[in-house]
């Protein structure tokens, strides 16, 4: 009786382990399939003066896109539609400068392989950003899905 229970336990454990391995192998790490989570990237200036001394941060939730160009106080917001393919991420922040002229900050991005490629633009700056999913944010990425 005990041998039967032990054999049953090991058989089920082995099947569970193989199932987990198979699911892990089939799980896609492509940004197009799973863009939700936290993404980090460094700005590469194309034109003008951009904040390049800090890392840019992008967070894609179930319904919202948040982008911070220098991981600081400015946060650009946008909507996210999970059903839209191909993924097109847009976040904006409308501000007014000291001369009461509009000063718009815009981020546009799209998924490419395991990264999100984006462009950040203001009247003074244009930068290209390649976002990657940091390894140490695994739990928050899993929760965001």
């Amino acid at each position: 009786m005990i041998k039967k229970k032990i054999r049953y336990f090991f058989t089920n454990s082995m099947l569970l382990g193989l199932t987990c391995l198979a699911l892990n192998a089939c799980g896609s790490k492509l940004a197009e399939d799973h863009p939700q989570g936290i993404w980090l990237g460094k700005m590469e200036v194309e034109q003008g003066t951009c904040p390049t001394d800090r890392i840019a941060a992008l967070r894609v939730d179930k319904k919202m896109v948040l982008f911070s160009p220098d991981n600081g106080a400015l946060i650009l917001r946008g909507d996210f539609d999970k059903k839209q393919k191909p993924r097109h991420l847009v976040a904006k922040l409308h501000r007014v400068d000291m001369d009461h002229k509009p000063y718009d900050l815009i981020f546009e991005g799209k998924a490419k392989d395991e990264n999100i490629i984006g462009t950040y633009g203001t009247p003074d700056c244009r930068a290209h950003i390649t976002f990657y999913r940091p390894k140490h944010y695994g739990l928050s990425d899993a929760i965001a899905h």
Side-chain angles (χ1 to χ4, degrees):
M1 179 77 169
I2 292 178
K3 285 183 182 181
K4 213 178 211 184
K5 286 184 179 183
I6 291 173
R7 189 174 344 143
Y8 179 76
F9 173 76
F10 282 118
T11 304
N12 284 342
S13 297
M14 206 158 72
L15 284 174
L16 180 64
L18 289 173
T19 303
C20 288
L21 283 174
L23 289 175
N24 195 19
C26 295
S28 175
K29 291 186 176 183
L30 296 178
E32 180 69 31
D33 297 334
H34 302 288
Q36 289 99 343
I38 296 173
W39 300 82
L40 300 176
K42 189 85 170 147
M43 280 200 220
E44 298 171 17
V45 179
E46 293 176 6
Q47 178 183 346
T49 306
C50 301
T52 58
D53 55 335
R54 291 200 233 167
I55 299 288
L58 176 70
R59 178 162 185 114
V60 182
D61 287 330
K62 292 181 180 182
K63 296 183 179 182
M64 186 182 298
V65 176
L66 301 172
F67 171 72
S68 177
D70 61 354
N71 209 4
L74 293 177
I75 297 176
L76 287 67
R77 298 175 188 270
D79 295 328
F80 174 67
D81 183 5
K82 281 174 58 170
K83 297 176 183 173
Q84 180 187 20
K85 296 264 182 158
R87 307 279 190 209
H88 185 73
L89 308 172
V90 178
K92 299 177 182 180
L93 179 63
H94 178 73
R95 299 181 54 102
V96 178
D97 69 6
M98 291 173 36
D99 296 328
H100 304 287
K101 295 180 185 172
Y103 190 87
D104 293 324
L105 297 87
I106 300 172
F107 168 78
E108 290 188 48
K110 63 181 179 177
K112 183 175 181 191
D113 300 327
E114 293 185 8
N115 299 320
I116 293 179
I117 308 298
T119 303
Y120 169 67
T122 70
D124 302 326
C125 156
R126 181 173 172 84
H128 175 82
I129 310 165
T130 301
F131 288 99
Y132 61 93
R133 193 183 303 269
K135 302 292 183 212
H136 62 281
Y137 280 105
L139 181 59
S140 66
D141 287 337
I143 292 170
H145 291 294

